[in-house]
Amino acid sequence: MHRGKGMKFVGDSRVPSKEFRKPNIPKDYSEYPGKTEAFWPNFLLKEWMIGSVFLIGYLLLTVAHPSPLEGQADPTDTAYIPLPDWYFLFLYQLLKYEFASGPFNVVGAIIIPGLAFGALMLAPFLDRGPERRPSKRPLPTGFMLLAIASIVFLTWESVANHDWEAAARQGEITEEVEIDTADPGYEIYSGAACISCHGDNLEGAVGPTLVGTGLSAEEIAEIAVNGIEKDGAQVMPPSWDGTDEDLQVMTEFIAGLEAE
């Protein structure tokens, strides 16, 4: 047999040929039974169901716990105790410390938060290894736990040291009521020491509102004469120094005030 006669060269199958090269197209999902599903309608239906459950739960939460609204802002009220939203409480508490307040406000408001959040830019360079377990990544894990512990501690301190009762009184929304300033009871009230704490229209200032208290005239007179004590402390001192007749007229006037 002559050389090459009756033989056919088929080439090396391990070397891809341009003529037989297949495009880079992923396999159809049907070739992976049990491992995937169609986007429409299976996957999308699940997403809609989860979104609907979350939305209904959120709406129920807003109905059960409405937003804590307060009265109209008064920039002249120096006794007002401000409180930010819960996600800023840790920064609010930070500004209470001496090293971050007063003349050092820039430290607590800009420098420390700027360094903390700017450190996030170093996250990709702290540990570039392939490990995903937290125990195998000590530096990122340690910094993360330190940040979480600091935020939780400062938030807790802010909540624990806030006077919630005073905040509820100062932010209480009182409905408007028409005050008859010509009434003898109001004239006595305006001339007494009560007006400095309860306001010109009895809407409340340092003290609570006197509109719609639900107390009788005798109970109001008892408070005016003897004050109010709570937990052994004098919350409201005795403030009445007039006659019994004037006290009766004033307390009957206050007891008759009802919010519209």
Side-chain angles (χ1 to χ4, degrees):
M1 180 183 296
H2 296 286
R3 185 177 181 180
K5 189 176 181 181
M7 299 179 64
K8 185 177 181 181
F9 180 74
V10 296
D12 194 342
S13 60
R14 294 171 297 177
V15 180
S17 175
K18 294 182 179 180
E19 290 78 7
F20 297 98
R21 184 175 299 171
K22 296 182 179 180
N24 189 18
I25 300 176
K27 296 181 179 180
D28 188 77
Y29 73 92
S30 59
E31 298 188 26
Y32 302 92
K35 295 184 179 181
T36 186
E37 60 182 341
F39 177 79
W40 172 267
N42 300 11
F43 180 79
L44 196 57
L45 180 60
K46 292 180 180 179
E47 292 291 313
W48 285 347
M49 292 177 63
I50 294 175
S52 300
V53 171
F54 176 81
L55 179 60
I56 293 174
Y58 185 78
L59 293 176
L60 292 176
L61 184 62
T62 58
V63 172
H65 301 280
S67 301
L69 302 178
E70 294 189 0
Q72 186 175 0
D74 183 7
T76 63
D77 184 7
T78 58
Y80 182 80
I81 305 174
L83 187 70
D85 291 321
W86 63 269
Y87 43 82
F88 282 132
L89 283 177
F90 68 99
L91 291 176
Y92 174 68
Q93 179 64 23
L94 181 64
L95 294 175
K96 295 181 181 180
Y97 298 118
E98 293 183 1
F99 63 87
S101 61
F104 306 106
N105 260 342
V106 66
V107 176
I110 298 178
I111 296 180
I112 294 180
L115 291 175
F117 289 102
L120 294 174
M121 299 178 63
L122 300 177
F125 307 100
L126 293 176
D127 188 353
R128 304 177 65 178
E131 290 290 343
R132 302 185 64 182
R133 295 182 181 179
S135 59
K136 299 293 185 179
R137 308 182 66 183
L139 285 179
T141 303
F143 285 128
M144 178 192 68
L145 293 177
L146 178 62
I148 293 177
S150 301
I151 293 175
V152 171
F153 172 76
L154 291 174
T155 302
W156 175 263
E157 283 291 305
S158 178
V159 172
N161 296 323
H162 186 68
D163 192 346
W164 293 100
E165 294 183 0
R169 290 195 302 269
Q170 72 182 6
E172 185 178 4
I173 299 177
T174 57
E175 298 187 19
E176 295 183 359
V177 60
E178 186 176 351
I179 304 296
D180 183 8
T181 56
D183 191 285
Y186 181 82
E187 293 180 0
I188 298 173
Y189 167 82
S190 61
C194 311
I195 194 171
S196 60
C197 291
H198 298 284
D200 295 340
N201 294 320
L202 295 88
E203 76 280 5
V206 178
T209 178
L210 297 180
V211 177
T213 60
L215 302 176
S216 63
E218 291 75 14
E219 292 172 329
I220 297 174
E222 176 71 19
I223 295 174
V225 173
N226 300 320
I228 300 176
E229 288 189 3
K230 184 176 182 180
D231 299 331
Q234 194 80 33
V235 177
M236 173 183 168
S239 57
W240 181 253
D241 57 358
T243 64
D244 293 341
E245 291 77 9
D246 288 346
L247 178 62
Q248 181 178 358
V249 173
M250 184 186 71
T251 53
E252 289 178 353
F253 166 74
I254 295 175
L257 295 175
E258 295 293 338
E260 296 179 354

